[in-house]
Amino acid sequence: MSTPTAPASGASGRAPSNWNVANGLTVLRIVLVPVFLWLLLRHGGLDTTDRWWAFAVFVVAMMTDRIDGDLARKYGLITDFGKIADPIADKALTGAAFISLSVIGILWWWVTIVVLVREIGITLMRFAIIKYGVMPASKGGKLKTALQALSLALFIAPLQGVFFWIACAVMGAAVVVTVVTGLDYVLAARRLVSEAKAGGGTTGESA
């Protein structure tokens, strides 16, 4: 879910409750992760029907990412919980997809390792600097998520031929953007900490 840097408030001018539909969709995305894994892995990724069901669950889960962001912005439902939980939900879903695709031999392990090292490292850094401010999603982070989601969906679907090479090309772009935005996030985090210590603002960019 994309969120602005300034804290939002509801229509009444008060901070919105964490118990809202946008955050509910974020939690739903987390709940769908084990369902997705079960469908993709239960027959070693060899069953075509299971693969299509896993594809459907993955797509629905990723759609909630767009919907919860739109709802949060439109109705002023942006919360600190959402700012933290949303990227965690994204990483849980995409991380599960990367690992499971490598386990069943569809995706190279080096790709999964590079992506996971970046994602885990950035997530830990987010928590390490949370006392200085919460860093919402950046445009680069949204592009990274979109490329990862598209490439993963293409690999999850039991498609062959030219679709495989399209999936490889999109995945290559996703890996590049993942690494670049990770480096950008480190720089943004350093700025946030420096500004906070100097008594400045707490704006920044996120993964």
Side-chain angles (χ1 to χ4, degrees):
M1 154 170 71
S2 303
T3 52
T5 56
S9 58
S12 64
R14 295 176 297 179
S17 168
N18 286 326
W19 296 93
N20 61 64
V21 65
N23 288 345
L25 289 173
T26 298
V27 173
L28 174 62
R29 189 154 69 256
I30 297 174
V31 172
L32 288 176
V33 171
V35 178
F36 163 75
L37 284 173
W38 178 71
L39 289 168
L40 186 58
L41 297 175
R42 67 172 178 165
H43 291 124
L46 299 177
D47 186 88
T48 300
T49 300
D50 285 347
R51 288 275 295 278
W52 278 119
W53 275 111
F55 170 82
V57 170
F58 181 81
V59 170
V60 169
M62 291 306 303
M63 286 176 62
T64 66
D65 182 42
R66 175 61 182 273
I67 296 172
D68 65 10
D70 290 344
L71 289 174
R73 288 189 298 270
K74 183 175 181 179
Y75 296 104
L77 301 177
I78 299 165
T79 64
D80 283 345
F81 171 82
K83 291 178 182 179
I84 295 297
D86 186 77
I88 290 176
D90 292 341
K91 289 172 175 58
L93 179 61
T94 56
F98 274 106
I99 293 173
S100 57
L101 286 171
S102 293
V103 167
I104 63 179
I106 296 177
L107 184 64
W108 305 277
W109 271 109
W110 72 264
V111 171
T112 295
I113 292 171
V114 168
V115 171
L116 291 185
V117 167
R118 184 272 191 197
E119 300 290 12
I120 294 172
I122 295 303
T123 298
L124 292 176
M125 182 177 294
R126 287 173 66 89
F127 282 108
I129 67 170
I130 196 170
K131 63 181 179 180
Y132 298 106
V134 176
M135 304 186 74
S138 69
K139 292 181 179 179
K142 290 188 288 185
L143 174 61
K144 177 217 66 173
T145 299
L147 287 173
Q148 286 185 1
L150 177 57
S151 59
L152 287 169
L154 289 171
F155 275 110
I156 294 166
L159 302 173
Q160 303 295 328
V162 66
F163 292 102
F164 172 78
W165 296 108
I166 293 175
C168 291
V170 179
M171 182 61 74
V175 171
V176 171
V177 174
T178 296
V179 173
V180 171
T181 55
L183 295 174
D184 181 64
Y185 181 81
V186 171
L187 295 176
R190 291 182 63 183
R191 288 198 302 271
L192 184 148
V193 173
S194 296
E195 291 172 358
K197 288 182 176 180
T202 57
T203 59
E205 297 178 351
S206 167

